[in-house]
């Protein structure tokens, strides 16, 4: 899909802080956004094994840069395990387009975000007393952390359950609620009073 400018309107809030509406971002941010746009334009990616915890993050906790200690919550055993085989699922980010064709375009875009997370981790690991972080790095770190907390199998299961519930609710017939119908329902005991905590 290609975007086409159809009209311009004045920004009612004045100048957008920090980026000037995307016109004044620093070159590193421009490169990051260009990489993200390029990944979004690709229809698919080669990788089918998708890490929901970036390997660069796990590497920060690795004793040798190749393995990380993992705890099996079922049997209680902990052991060193290869980064390639930890926190990974086959086609975890696979989605389907409106025509029903599956693709891994999301994984391609996430790889750009993972590269940014790796850069920020290197920055943080190199910190010394009195070092500071520039505003763009601070904002990027906030986005990466918020994003990472929402890309787990547990969050995916929750979103799938919510989707199923909403689709089920959308198919249910909703009776027209009138004051007469509400009073009749209340009188029959089908409507419970709201507990306002008083």
């Amino acid at each position: 899909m290609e975007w086409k400018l159809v009209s311009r309107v004045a920004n009612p809030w004045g100048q957008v802080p920090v980026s000037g509406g995307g016109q004044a971002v620093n070159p590193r941010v421009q490169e990051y956004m260009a990489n993200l746009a390029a990944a979004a334009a690709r229809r698919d990616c080669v990788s089918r094994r998708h890490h929901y915890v970036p390997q660069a993050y796990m590497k920060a906790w690795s004793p040798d840069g190749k393995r990380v200690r993992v705890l099996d919550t079922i049997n209680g055993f902990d052991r060193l395990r290869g980064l390639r085989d930890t926190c990974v699922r086959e086609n975890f980010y696979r989605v389907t387009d409106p025509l029903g064709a599956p693709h891994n375009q999301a994984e391609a875009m996430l790889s750009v975000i993972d590269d940014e997370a790796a850069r920020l981790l290197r920055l943080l690991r190199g910190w010394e007393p009195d070092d500071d972080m520039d505003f763009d790095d601070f904002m990027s770190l906030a986005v990466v952390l918020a994003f990472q907390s929402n890309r787990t199998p547990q969050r995916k299961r929750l979103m799938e359950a919510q989707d199923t519930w909403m689709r089920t609710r959308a198919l249910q017939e909703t009776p027209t609620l009138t004051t007469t119908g509400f009073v009749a329902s209340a009188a029959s005991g089908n409507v419970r009073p709201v507990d306002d905590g008083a």
Side-chain angles (χ1 to χ4, degrees), residues 6-60:
V6 293
S7 66
R8 290 178 182 266
V9 295
N11 179 358
W13 300 284
Q15 186 178 15
V16 176
V18 183
S19 70
Q23 303 296 319
V25 295
N26 69 43
R28 189 185 51 74
V29 175
Q30 287 177 351
E31 180 185 356
Y32 170 69
M33 295 307 293
N35 290 342
L36 196 57
R42 287 201 323 249
R43 189 67 186 114
D44 213 340
C45 69
V46 176
S47 173
R48 297 292 178 260
R49 301 184 78 235
H50 304 163
H51 283 82
Y52 50 87
V53 175
Q55 291 185 72
Y57 178 81
M58 291 188 287
K59 192 177 279 191

Side-chain angles (χ1 to χ4, degrees), residues 29-142:
V29 175
Q30 287 177 351
E31 180 185 356
Y32 170 69
M33 295 307 293
N35 290 342
L36 196 57
R42 287 201 323 249
R43 189 67 186 114
D44 213 340
C45 69
V46 176
S47 173
R48 297 292 178 260
R49 301 184 78 235
H50 304 163
H51 283 82
Y52 50 87
V53 175
Q55 291 185 72
Y57 178 81
M58 291 188 287
K59 192 177 279 191
W61 304 99
S62 171
D64 59 7
K66 297 176 185 172
R67 299 172 300 161
V68 68
R69 187 162 293 284
V70 295
L71 171 67
D72 188 321
T73 57
I74 295 173
N75 61 26
F77 296 139
D78 71 290
R79 62 186 172 95
L80 285 172
R81 187 173 185 179
L83 297 178
R84 291 178 42 84
D85 299 320
T86 304
C87 298
V88 65
R89 295 271 170 90
E90 187 84 13
N91 291 319
F92 186 69
Y93 296 113
R94 176 160 280 210
V95 294
T96 55
D97 64 19
L99 300 175
H103 62 85
N104 287 318
Q105 185 181 23
E107 171 66 9
M109 295 175 70
L110 291 172
S111 69
V112 178
I113 297 170
D114 291 348
D115 289 345
E116 176 68 0
R119 185 191 69 78
L120 291 166
L121 284 169
R122 287 192 302 273
L123 176 73
L124 292 174
R125 284 197 300 266
W127 264 16
E128 295 190 9
D130 297 325
D131 280 353
D132 201 359
M133 177 180 276
D134 67 35
F135 185 76
D136 288 329
D137 286 339
F138 177 76
M139 293 304 291
S140 187
L141 180 63

Side-chain angles (χ1 to χ4, degrees), residues 157-169:
R157 285 194 301 269
L158 175 63
M159 291 174 69
E160 287 169 347
Q162 288 173 333
D163 179 65
T164 301
W165 182 84
M166 286 190 274
R167 288 176 189 275
T168 303
R169 294 289 294 174

